[in-house]
Amino acid sequence: MKRMWAAVVAAGLVALSGCSIGGEPEGKPSPTTTPTLAEPVELDYFATLTVDDSAGHALVTDWVEEKLRAIDSTGEELWSIDAYINDEGGGSEAYSVGDLVIVNDYSGTVTAYTWEDGEEAWSFDIPGPDDACHEQMAFGSRSTGLGNRLGEDDLLLLEYSGMRMDGHCTPTSEAGNAVLFALDPSTGVEAWPSLSIDDDGRTFGGSLIHLAPDRKNAVMSWQSGEDSMVTRISLDTGRHATVPITKARAIDDSGGEHFDVFPTSDETTLTYLFGAEDPDDPMSQAFSRAAELTLPAGLKETDSATLAADSGPNAATMEDTTDPMCSTDFTFTPEGRAACLQLQLFASAVKYQGSDGSPEGWFADAPEMAFDTVLYSGAPRTVPFDSRGKAAVLAPGPDGGVVAIDTATGKTAWNAGDYRSTTPWGGEGVLPDVGLVVLTDNKKTSFYDSDTGRLVEEHKADQYDELTSGYSTILVAGEKSTTMWAVVDT
């Protein structure tokens, strides 16, 4: 099988001047390397990618043996640990920072291991008694980095994802029931004190916070007694401001107590999402409604350990809208651009809606079959990529094939193929170092040039193969084995 197209890393030559004592010229340029997509490797087990780094390591989940396996770019196993797998098919979460890989296995302890040999570098025990109202095993995780790779100033956030309300429990601490911890991923030390809600507070389960497009702030929706609350958190310090929105919610006629809020690039403008979403009906999410929620400017932040409102009951306003708005978590390109893509069902049309973080979103034409192939509940998440200096996302094209949609405008950046698949997408990924975006669909895995949409290469895949990706590794899992592509330096 031929070696795939590679992107050449530009290297400037250092001017030579003078000589060394031995007569050799000084300033000799150091060797350069070229990132290249290596030939595919077969793993003899069903695996999905959990996280990778930029140095030839990947952590994969072996679902049959229930193991997390650290492998190198040849598929050779370096070490393994037991993996957490829940009844809905969810697994352990992991993040890469430097030479460490951090695992949240929902045991109540987060542990960092060295990539090379699996030696434990640090661990963090989520505090609380055994009968804590917010039990340790109900804390999910996310990073403020790009995906699950963390940089120098990024944080690992542990967020409460449960909704215990039985009353027969003990508060986490004197501050109340902990909902959010922020860790320095290099050391496991708390970057700022944890945040809690009081005995009257409750969360709604699932994602607790949503990151703003700048990844420097987050917003949280919750309830305190009969009052609805929105909290904005500065992620660099943990300082926060809470606004009651009970009166503003008057336009919410869904009859449900649950609601969610999502940030935009304007810190005073949020998207308020409501509707009669039925967890047993994945199509119900298509009928959710959105409103524009406006918070007062210049909110006073506090460093109190317990979240509480510090502004009047009429501080927030809300306006129902049918304009396109982003009402889901942003995802980010390898260069840090924010992207949002959703489906919206109208009486006579199906539309994509999305944004690049702006409060004003866009609509774009979508095929009816998009509901059957992608973006339904449980489908692989959209993976945005950088295309000619802009953020783009892949989606089924209205006229067949696949389109790359500019997330700032909703316009088509490029399109490829003319097929019309009727089976779920197997997933998509991006390999920025070699300029490729990858899609498993229509019984094949296709590698496209991220700038032009040019088809670089295709590989056969089975109908229900599943693609997962980091930024240097692609896995396509079949029923009994997995094909791996890794970016290597040559």
Side-chain angles (χ1 to χ4, degrees), residues 142-156:
R142 68 171 65 209
S143 81
T144 62
L146 302 176
N148 50 4
R149 284 196 190 178
L150 292 86
E152 181 178 352
D153 297 323
D154 294 326
L155 298 175
L156 179 65

Side-chain angles (χ1 to χ4, degrees), residues 307-318:
L307 303 182
D310 55 5
S311 54
N314 297 311
T317 60
M318 195 148 58

Side-chain angles (χ1 to χ4, degrees), residues 11 23 46 75 109 135 203 285 310 384 413 420:
F46 181 94
T109 299
E135 57 271 34
T203 56
Q285 63 183 330
D310 55 5
R420 189 169 291 277

Side-chain angles (χ1 to χ4, degrees), residues 397-420:
D399 300 316
V402 56
V403 294
I405 302 174
D406 183 333
T407 64
T409 64
K411 296 180 178 179
T412 297
W414 50 258
N415 62 280
D418 57 3
Y419 62 88
R420 189 169 291 277

Side-chain angles (χ1 to χ4, degrees), residues 46 64 221 259 300 378 466 478:
F46 181 94
V64 175
S221 55
F259 63 94
K300 182 180 179 181
E466 179 179 348

Side-chain angles (χ1 to χ4, degrees), residues 29-390:
S30 58
T32 60
T33 59
T34 301
T36 304
L37 195 63
E39 299 288 349
V41 173
E42 294 297 319
L43 307 177
D44 61 357
Y45 49 92
F46 181 94
T48 57
L49 188 76
T50 309
V51 66
D52 64 5
D53 68 355
S54 58
H57 304 113
L59 190 70
V60 305
T61 300
D62 178 342
W63 293 89
V64 175
E65 297 296 328
E66 299 190 5
K67 293 283 187 181
L68 287 175
R69 303 188 187 277
I71 60 177
D72 63 18
S73 59
T74 70
E76 186 73 23
E77 183 173 317
L78 304 174
W79 48 270
S80 67
I81 57 175
D82 291 338
Y84 165 78
I85 296 174
N86 68 25
D87 294 338
E88 282 75 39
S92 301
E93 300 157 347
Y95 306 84
S96 180
V97 54
D99 60 355
L100 301 180
V101 57
I102 305 166
V103 177
N104 175 32
D105 62 359
Y106 285 87
S107 67
T109 299
V110 178
T111 307
Y113 305 91
T114 56
W115 269 114
E116 200 62 41
D117 57 15
E119 181 180 353
E120 184 176 316
W122 59 257
S123 65
F124 177 81
D125 293 322
I126 297 173
D130 292 339
D131 63 343
C133 296
H134 289 181
E135 57 271 34
Q136 296 92 326
M137 285 73 74
F139 277 82
S141 58
R142 68 171 65 209
S143 81
T144 62
L146 302 176
N148 50 4
R149 284 196 190 178
L150 292 86
E152 181 178 352
D153 297 323
D154 294 326
L155 298 175
L156 179 65
L157 303 177
L158 305 178
E159 56 178 349
Y160 181 63
S161 58
M163 49 188 304
R164 184 169 178 175
M165 297 172 58
D166 58 19
H168 303 292
C169 56
T170 302
T172 304
S173 69
E174 293 182 358
N177 294 311
V179 291
L180 185 65
F181 298 88
L183 305 184
D184 178 339
S186 297
T187 63
V189 175
E190 290 186 72
W192 32 263
S194 61
L195 301 180
S196 300
I197 56 179
D198 61 24
D199 291 344
D200 292 330
R202 69 180 181 92
T203 56
F204 303 125
S207 295
L208 176 73
I209 62 171
H210 303 288
L211 300 183
D214 62 7
R215 296 182 290 118
K216 295 179 180 179
N217 297 278
V219 295
M220 166 185 165
S221 55
W222 57 290
Q223 201 143 5
S224 179
E226 299 299 320
D227 288 324
S228 301
M229 300 290 189
V230 169
T231 297
R232 191 180 68 215
I233 304 167
S234 297
L235 295 173
D236 58 343
T237 63
R239 293 177 63 84
H240 49 89
T242 298
V243 178
I245 63 167
T246 307
K247 290 189 176 182
R249 289 187 64 201
I251 67 170
D252 184 349
D253 58 3
S254 63
E257 293 183 340
H258 176 272
F259 63 94
D260 214 342
V261 292
F262 297 88
T264 70
S265 56
D266 178 357
E267 66 176 19
T268 65
T269 303
L270 307 178
T271 301
Y272 174 87
L273 184 68
F274 64 109
E277 187 170 334
D278 182 353
D280 296 323
D281 179 10
M283 289 294 291
S284 68
Q285 63 183 330
F287 299 95
S288 295
R289 294 164 53 192
E292 184 176 291
L293 174 61
T294 302
L295 302 182
L299 289 175
K300 182 180 179 181
E301 292 185 338
T302 175
D303 58 4
S304 170
T306 307
L307 303 182
D310 55 5
S311 54
N314 297 311
T317 60
M318 195 148 58
E319 182 179 351
D320 205 349
T321 181
T322 57
D323 293 336
M325 303 178 73
C326 181
S327 53
T328 188
D329 274 323
F330 288 107
T331 50
F332 299 92
T333 72
E335 293 183 10
R337 299 180 175 95
C340 171
L341 179 68
Q342 300 167 270
L343 277 176
Q344 187 69 44
L345 180 63
F346 295 93
S348 59
V350 178
K351 297 283 187 179
Y352 294 120
Q353 71 171 11
S355 83
D356 62 350
S358 169
E360 295 80 29
W362 45 259
F363 286 128
D365 291 336
E368 289 186 13
M369 46 75 69
F371 275 115
D372 299 322
T373 59
V374 70
L375 299 178
Y376 61 90
S377 179
R381 291 198 65 183
T382 299
V383 180
F385 58 97
D386 299 284
S387 179
R388 294 182 175 175
K390 299 180 179 180

